[in-house]
Amino acid sequence: MSEGTVMAQSLYFTFVLSCLICGSYGLVSSGTTTVRSVDYNATTVTPIERRDSTTKPSTTQSNKSTNAPAVRLTSTTTSKVLTTTTRPPKTTTTANYSFNTEDLNEGIDKKVEKRVWNKEPEDEPLEFECPPLGLESLRVKDPQLRASSYKRRGLGPHRGRLNIQSGIEDGDIYDGAWCAQYEDKKQWLEVDARRPTRFTGVILQGRSSIWSWDFILTYKVQFSNDTLVWQPAMNGTKEAVFEGNQDTETPVLALFNESATVARYIRINPQSWYENGTICLRAEVLGCTLPDPNNIYAWQQTEQGTKDKLDFRHHNYKEMRKLMKSVTEACPDITHIYSIGKSHMGLKMYVMEISDHPGKHELGEPEFRYVAGMHGNEALGRELLLNLMQYICQEYKLGNQRIVRLVKETRIHLLPSMNPDGYEMAFKKGSELAGWALGRYSYQGIDMNHNFADLNKVMWDAIEFDFQNNDKSKLINHYIPIPEYYTSEDAFVALETRAVINWMQNIPFVLSANLHGGELVVTYPFDRTEDWAPHDDTPTPDNSFFRWLATVYASTNQVMSNPDRRPCHNENFQRYNNIINGANWHTVQGSMNDFSYLHTNCFDVTVELSCDKFPHASELPIEWENNKESLLIYMEQVHRGLKGVIRDKDTEAGIADAIIKVDDIDHHIRSVADGDYWRLLNPGEYEVTVSAEGYNPSTRMCRVMYEHYPTICDFRLTKTPKQRLKEILAKGGKLPKDLQLRLRQLRLRKLRASTKAINSRRAAASRKARGS
């Protein structure tokens, strides 16, 4: 890795943190034109102090006004980062692998409610009269964007999209804004809505870059039906001048007056800009599209949504509880709600379990999980899981055989919000105004995707030790224990992360996916490079199956599989068929996927669901349709490979913690409490060896077929003579004749071996004496 690359990454990380430090909220008005400028407030990272976890962050407010046409009312909020030394209580489970049922009829704790939700008006997200046209979500296509000029291809009008992200290097084709070639007041960015539209507002950002600091201070707006005659937005009898940005990242909203113009085209015309920068911006346009009276085929232009009757809106914590409660009331026989712990602010981490026997593990039935909202502002995964639980309930009741089979043969666990504190922060600002980073981190400022124990290092250190010392006693490839430093109460580990680890240890998950947002790609382990390179292909021993899993989701996702789609930000994943090894994208230490693979039996991938982290509610039906088949078919992959029960040959009792080794794949798994196991594998013939403490190993050939059901491969193990002897002597019993004979044979074999060794030594000594 070059020195320049290291410096660039360091600057980029510093820049991202600086974007989280502070912000402001303001209201701008003049005459009949209403302009709202909305900045976001974010957590300020300060030295960690030990305090009671219920301590409320301090809030200060200050207002300023000027005689300018626009008046900014500003309030800044800083929040002290707190940590806690208390760990979530360990949930005691039996072989049922279950958690206690949550009663959602109970109200939310008043202290938590007061701590999380203030009764101020700005605690509710601003509701737009009209939705975004879709610059951020890419519903607005590149040909619909034009500009008066641009510096180069990478700064063209197609890059002037809200929240678009640049790469590490400026100057490529993936820069972070539209930037005009000339610095004058005649520059503009134009959006073609393609239909008559009542425009109601504009949202502006500066340029995404770690090298440049460019943003617009003020701007005008014009409308047109033919791009020849333009009508300006008015402020009474004068042309309106709207207030822009004060930094590069904070989204700033301007709302037009009630008599907003209906037109097809809109232009954003910068009037002033940051004095040490140039004309650059990212934007979103708000507007309600109207039917075109001149188009007799208007029905063909209707947006394709979905036929499913689901609750398509964004749900905060309270609304999420209500929805989950409604699902359990509609399908009480197949659902079970439980909590795996609490967030730093005291919000419960609810899980919806779906199974034909909810609340317990059934012998031979695999456990599956979806996790969403690890980054609180990546909200699409949360809504997809809420939609999924509704859909499964509805279709099960209708007798949809695919869903009925899935419910009867799989125990499904859906965690819609791993970071509920972060989500609430982003939700309060709204889908278009939260920016790129607000709500990503936990309340303590922790990125939970880097917060799991780094077991990769433990494994690679053991491999290095084996190589240097030719000693395989320290070599481990599965169930790698968590380092002691990580489990201490002083370790900087989020309560939410601890809760998820406890959940993983208590339920024998087989397959999982971690739902994120902000890109369109599926990544698979390992997520961390071995030598700390910024990116490098770092496959697991199960690389072929992980690639299959990633391909299953990506190839059935309607957007990822579209060959004509454009890249989201600064990576073209289509050249990799929309899947990539996580470490080959960018190295991530302490990821949940790597931890899951190395510490448990579970295979886990990350799904980046959408270019837009927090899509507007109007996009949710389309996003559900884009992902519905992918969500279902990915769950069905839990039934690929081998499954079986490992039993004691004499007692038929299940054997727990038996090690299942597949020849030529250097990653083992273990049986669970009742002796059942699941080994995910691609079709083929495999030599499988099972071993357990106190038993003789057993090997057999098992063939995985192409059908969508697993191959049954059971094992019956016989105890070793030593183990049988221990058990008999422990009970004070008499040795059976076969064991007595076996022990006699072992003694004779040992006696012969020792006699032979003694005779060999004597012969050698005799030869040496004669020679001297």
Side-chain angles (χ1 to χ4, degrees):
M1 179 168 49
S2 68
E3 182 179 346
T5 303
V6 174
M7 182 178 71
Q9 289 188 321
S10 176
L11 285 169
Y12 180 73
F13 182 70
T14 305
F15 172 76
V16 171
L17 286 180
S18 69
C19 294
L20 301 176
I21 293 177
C22 64
S24 59
Y25 175 93
L27 175 66
V28 184
S29 63
S30 177
T32 57
T33 302
T34 302
V35 183
R36 295 182 186 272
S37 310
V38 184
D39 297 353
Y40 63 86
N41 300 319
T43 305
T44 301
V45 179
T46 60
I48 302 302
E49 298 179 7
R50 292 192 185 184
R51 295 190 181 182
D52 185 274
S53 61
T54 61
T55 304
K56 186 175 182 179
S58 61
T59 304
T60 59
Q61 296 185 347
S62 61
N63 298 332
K64 313 191 279 189
S65 64
T66 67
N67 294 323
V71 180
R72 177 182 289 271
L73 303 179
T74 307
S75 70
T76 59
T77 304
T78 58
S79 306
K80 184 153 288 188
V81 179
L82 307 178
T83 188
T84 176
T85 58
T86 59
R87 296 179 64 183
K90 180 80 172 178
T91 305
T92 303
T93 63
T94 65
N96 285 337
Y97 300 109
S98 62
F99 286 72
N100 294 330
T101 303
E102 282 290 325
D103 183 5
L104 296 188
N105 290 314
E106 295 180 357
I108 300 171
D109 184 276
K110 295 300 181 183
K111 290 182 180 179
V112 173
E113 193 166 19
K114 183 177 180 181
R115 195 158 60 236
V116 178
W117 299 283
N118 299 319
K119 300 302 180 182
E120 300 297 328
E122 58 265 29
D123 277 348
E124 291 298 321
L126 185 65
E127 293 188 10
F128 301 139
E129 181 183 359
C130 292
L133 292 188
L135 275 77
E136 182 178 10
S137 68
L138 303 185
R139 186 155 54 168
V140 172
K141 307 303 180 185
D142 287 353
Q144 293 175 251
L145 301 173
R146 292 200 312 143
S148 53
S149 66
Y150 54 91
K151 284 189 172 183
R152 58 177 181 270
R153 172 65 179 165
L155 294 169
H158 65 293
R159 302 297 293 176
R161 300 172 180 272
L162 188 72
N163 284 322
I164 202 165
Q165 301 295 299
S166 68
I168 294 294
E169 299 178 6
D170 281 1
D172 60 13
I173 63 172
Y174 300 119
D175 240 315
W178 161 67
C179 292
Q181 184 177 2
Y182 309 106
E183 293 187 16
D184 59 48
K185 295 183 180 181
K186 297 180 181 180
Q187 304 306 307
W188 44 261
L189 176 69
E190 178 184 295
V191 181
D192 176 5
R194 289 186 171 171
R195 292 167 64 179
T197 301
R198 183 164 63 87
F199 295 108
T200 59
V202 168
I203 302 171
L204 236 58
Q205 270 178 321
R207 177 182 176 184
S208 169
S209 171
I210 64 173
W211 307 106
S212 305
W213 190 255
D214 304 310
F215 52 88
I216 302 303
L217 296 174
T218 59
Y219 62 98
K220 295 179 180 180
V221 174
Q222 293 100 30
F223 310 98
S224 176
N225 285 315
D226 56 11
T227 71
L228 300 176
V229 179
W230 290 89
Q231 174 69 37
M234 301 299 291
N235 180 12
T237 59
K238 297 181 180 179
E239 190 171 356
V241 178
F242 299 97
E243 184 177 2
N245 302 97
Q246 297 297 314
D247 59 54
T248 59
E249 286 299 319
T250 306
V252 176
L253 168 67
L255 294 177
F256 307 146
N257 60 28
E258 294 182 359
S259 58
T261 304
V262 173
R264 172 174 168 174
Y265 303 92
I266 183 172
R267 278 183 179 176
I268 301 169
N269 173 213
Q271 297 296 297
S272 62
W273 45 92
Y274 178 58
E275 60 181 353
N276 294 324
T278 188
I279 298 175
C280 294
L281 64 85
R282 295 174 285 169
E284 181 61 87
V285 176
L286 308 180
C288 296
T289 55
L290 306 177
D292 185 353
N294 299 317
N295 184 7
I296 62 174
Y297 301 107
W299 60 273
Q300 292 181 339
Q301 296 179 319
T302 305
E303 282 286 355
Q304 184 179 2
T306 178
K307 296 179 181 178
D308 298 323
K309 306 299 182 183
L310 307 176
D311 189 2
F312 293 115
R313 60 193 174 100
H314 286 292
H315 298 78
N316 65 5
Y317 180 77
K318 296 177 182 178
E319 294 300 322
M320 182 184 74
R321 280 168 46 99
K322 291 179 183 178
L323 186 146
M324 295 178 75
K325 179 173 179 287
S326 70
V327 172
T328 58
E329 289 173 345
C331 295
D333 295 335
I334 63 168
T335 59
H336 166 228
I337 296 176
Y338 63 91
S339 169
I340 62 172
K342 293 182 180 180
S343 70
H344 182 83
M345 294 293 284
L347 302 179
K348 290 185 177 181
M349 300 167 67
Y350 291 113
V351 176
M352 172 68 77
E353 178 194 337
I354 303 175
S355 170
D356 59 338
H357 292 91
K360 66 177 182 179
H361 172 75
E362 296 181 75
L363 187 70
E365 186 169 286
E367 310 264 357
F368 177 91
R369 71 167 183 258
Y370 272 131
V371 176
M374 170 182 279
H375 296 144
N377 62 334
E378 295 169 14
L380 178 57
R382 175 190 182 104
E383 296 308 321
L384 288 177
L385 293 192
L386 295 177
N387 294 152
L388 182 62
M389 61 183 72
Q390 295 174 78
Y391 178 79
I392 292 176
C393 172
Q394 292 175 9
E395 294 300 305
Y396 184 86
K397 292 171 70 176
L398 291 173
N400 181 326
Q401 286 305 299
R402 182 185 189 184
I403 300 302
V404 170
R405 183 170 60 251
L406 191 63
V407 170
K408 289 188 174 183
E409 296 178 357
T410 320
R411 191 181 181 202
I412 303 165
H413 305 258
L414 308 177
L415 173 61
S417 187
M418 181 176 167
N419 181 6
D421 296 349
Y423 177 83
E424 293 300 319
M425 284 191 281
F427 176 82
K428 289 175 185 178
K429 287 300 176 187
S431 60
E432 310 309 308
L433 300 175
W436 187 251
L438 179 65
R440 173 185 178 92
Y441 304 96
S442 73
Y443 188 84
Q444 297 168 279
I446 298 174
D447 186 338
M448 284 182 255
N449 201 35
H450 297 255
N451 198 223
F452 287 78
D454 182 8
L455 303 183
N456 305 62
K457 184 178 186 304
V458 177
M459 177 185 66
W460 288 326
D461 285 350
I463 293 173
E464 181 67 20
F465 181 90
D466 169 55
F467 178 77
Q468 293 180 355
N469 299 278
N470 196 26
D471 178 10
K472 294 188 177 182
S473 63
K474 296 185 180 295
L475 192 59
I476 48 178
N477 67 14
H478 73 293
Y479 271 51
I480 298 175
I482 299 174
E484 187 175 347
Y485 72 85
Y486 185 89
T487 60
S488 70
E489 292 184 349
D490 294 329
F492 196 51
V493 182
L495 285 177
E496 298 89 341
T497 307
R498 294 185 190 271
V500 169
I501 290 175
N502 182 57
W503 186 37
M504 291 178 173
Q505 293 172 332
N506 276 286
I507 294 180
F509 293 112
V510 178
L511 180 61
S512 173
N514 186 10
L515 306 184
H516 285 247
E519 257 300 348
L520 278 167
V521 68
V522 183
T523 74
Y524 52 90
F526 287 121
D527 289 333
R528 189 200 136 173
T529 56
E530 188 172 353
D531 57 359
W532 294 105
H535 55 85
D536 188 28
D537 189 32
T538 312
T540 67
D542 286 285
N543 190 57
S544 62
F545 193 81
F546 272 118
R547 287 181 60 83
W548 166 259
L549 290 173
T551 300
V552 163
Y553 199 102
S555 63
T556 54
N557 181 280
Q558 293 187 11
V559 180
M560 291 187 202
S561 59
N562 180 2
D564 298 323
R565 76 171 181 90
R566 58 152 286 171
C568 291
H569 298 285
N570 51 60
E571 295 270 6
N572 183 7
F573 290 110
Q574 283 185 292
R575 57 181 175 168
Y576 307 116
N577 293 320
N578 304 299
I579 70 170
I580 192 170
N581 173 258
N584 204 22
W585 182 13
H586 57 267
T587 187
V588 176
Q589 180 186 14
S591 78
M592 185 167 77
N593 294 356
D594 287 3
F595 178 87
S596 180
Y597 181 69
L598 295 175
H599 186 64
T600 74
N601 288 337
C602 187
F603 287 28
D604 208 338
V605 303
T606 291
V607 181
E608 299 282 352
L609 295 162
S610 170
C611 301
D612 189 348
K613 287 186 175 184
F614 203 141
H616 188 267
S618 61
E619 303 273 359
L620 295 179
I622 301 169
E623 293 290 2
W624 164 251
E625 204 61 34
N626 289 341
N627 287 277
K628 177 174 69 173
E629 177 61 23
S630 305
L631 291 167
L632 294 174
I633 199 170
Y634 184 83
M635 283 194 288
E636 291 169 340
Q637 303 314 301
V638 77
H639 296 285
R640 279 196 173 272
L642 302 175
K643 79 170 187 178
V645 182
I646 301 167
R647 303 181 187 274
D648 184 301
K649 187 177 181 180
D650 297 326
T651 66
E652 290 296 314
I655 302 173
D657 281 328
I659 298 174
I660 297 93
K661 174 186 176 182
V662 177
D663 194 34
D664 296 329
I665 300 179
D666 190 21
H667 180 80
H668 310 334
I669 63 163
R670 299 197 184 194
S671 61
V672 299
D674 295 322
D676 43 348
Y677 78 94
W678 306 263
R679 184 54 168 101
L680 299 176
L681 291 167
N682 284 322
E685 192 165 359
Y686 300 93
E687 182 179 283
V688 182
T689 300
V690 174
S691 59
E693 186 176 356
Y695 290 87
N696 294 309
S698 177
T699 300
R700 60 176 293 191
M701 300 300 294
C702 303
R703 176 173 292 180
V704 176
M705 309 301 288
Y706 284 88
E707 287 79 4
H708 290 282
Y709 53 82
T711 298
I712 306 294
C713 202
D714 295 328
F715 287 83
R716 281 170 171 75
L717 305 185
T718 58
K719 291 187 177 72
T720 62
K722 185 177 180 181
Q723 180 66 23
R724 293 177 64 193
L725 177 61
K726 281 184 180 180
E727 293 178 1
I728 291 170
L729 294 178
K731 296 177 181 178
K734 186 179 179 181
L735 295 180
K737 290 184 178 181
D738 66 320
L739 187 55
Q740 291 178 22
L741 178 62
R742 178 65 176 155
L743 289 173
R744 190 178 299 116
Q745 290 173 343
L746 288 174
R747 289 194 204 100
L748 288 173
R749 187 181 301 168
K750 187 175 180 180
L751 180 60
R752 291 193 193 100
S754 60
T755 302
K756 186 177 180 180
I758 292 171
N759 290 337
S760 297
R761 286 197 298 270
R762 286 176 177 173
S766 177
R767 286 193 298 271
K768 185 177 179 181
R770 285 197 301 269
S772 62

